[in-house]
Each structure stands twice: as C-alpha cells, then as structure tokens.
Amino acid sequence: NDGVERSASSARAPPEDMELTAAHALGFIIMASSSLLVLFYFKIYGIVKVFYSMGCSKAVSQVVVDPFLKRLMKKFRVRNQIIWRTNTEDFGDISLRDIMAHVI
C-alpha cells in the first residue's frame, strides 16, 4: 500500500482519454468547409437564422426568465415538479419551470 486511499469506483474505471488526432482535425476541416459551401451554394441562410434564434431564445430563458420564475415560485410556494424524465445527461429532467420559462 502506498499510503494513498482510493475509492472503489476510481479503482475500477480507467480515466477517459480525450485525444484528438490529425484525422480528427482533417475531418473537422472537411466537414466545416463543406457545410459553408452548401450554405453559400444553395443560399439557405434562413436555416442559420432559425438556429441562431432558437439558441438565443434558449439563452434568454435560462439567464433571465428561469431565475425570475425560481424566485416567483419560491415566493408563492409553488413546487417545481418534474414533468418528464429524459434519462439523458444532454437534456436532463424537464420540469414545470423549464416549460414555463420557454413559453414566456
């Protein structure tokens, strides 16, 4: 024993390696360039505007509306219920406050 205490979970799972290779960089360059060429050639700038507006609305709902609703719900003692469990880390659980923030 080297005097260092280790938890059982860290002893079992090796750390993840997140190395990018030259092939990854080349793939990124090819995909990014082809995406820009498709946008330019087919003149589908509207799609970019739609995605940008979706991202902006999500940011505003998280930064401005969600904290306001959190305080308001706490003041009126409204419980934030989980409406839908997605079982993914990407989205997380969708709560009543999340839905209300996006609707507003």
Side-chain angles (χ1 to χ4, degrees), residues 5-64:
E5 215 175 295
R6 293 188 178 101
S7 67
S9 63
S10 66
R12 291 185 205 138
E16 287 187 31
D17 289 335
M18 299 295 284
E19 268 187 47
L20 297 178
T21 63
H24 291 107
L26 184 64
F28 174 78
I29 291 170
I30 291 170
M31 293 299 293
S33 298
S34 61
S35 299
L36 289 173
L37 284 172
V38 166
L39 281 172
F40 179 74
Y41 184 72
F42 292 111
K43 297 180 182 178
I44 49 176
Y45 310 120
I47 292 174
V48 175
K49 291 177 185 176
V50 168
F51 286 147
Y52 184 75
S53 64
M54 288 170 59
C56 289
S57 68
K58 175 68 175 168
V60 167
S61 72
Q62 279 189 328
V63 173
V64 177

Side-chain angles (χ1 to χ4, degrees), residues 5 7 14 24 33 39-40 60-62 67 69 72 74 77 82-83 86-88 93-94 99-100 102:
E5 215 175 295
S7 67
H24 291 107
S33 298
L39 281 172
F40 179 74
V60 167
S61 72
Q62 279 189 328
L69 283 176
L72 196 65
K74 187 176 181 180
R77 294 186 177 107
I82 294 175
I83 303 297
T86 59
N87 296 326
T88 65
D93 295 336
I94 298 174
I99 294 172
M100 288 171 56
H102 290 293

Side-chain angles (χ1 to χ4, degrees), residues 57 61 65-66 69 95-104:
S57 68
S61 72
V65 180
D66 191 56
L69 283 176
S95 68
L96 176 65
R97 192 173 71 224
D98 293 332
I99 294 172
M100 288 171 56
H102 290 293
V103 168
I104 292 174

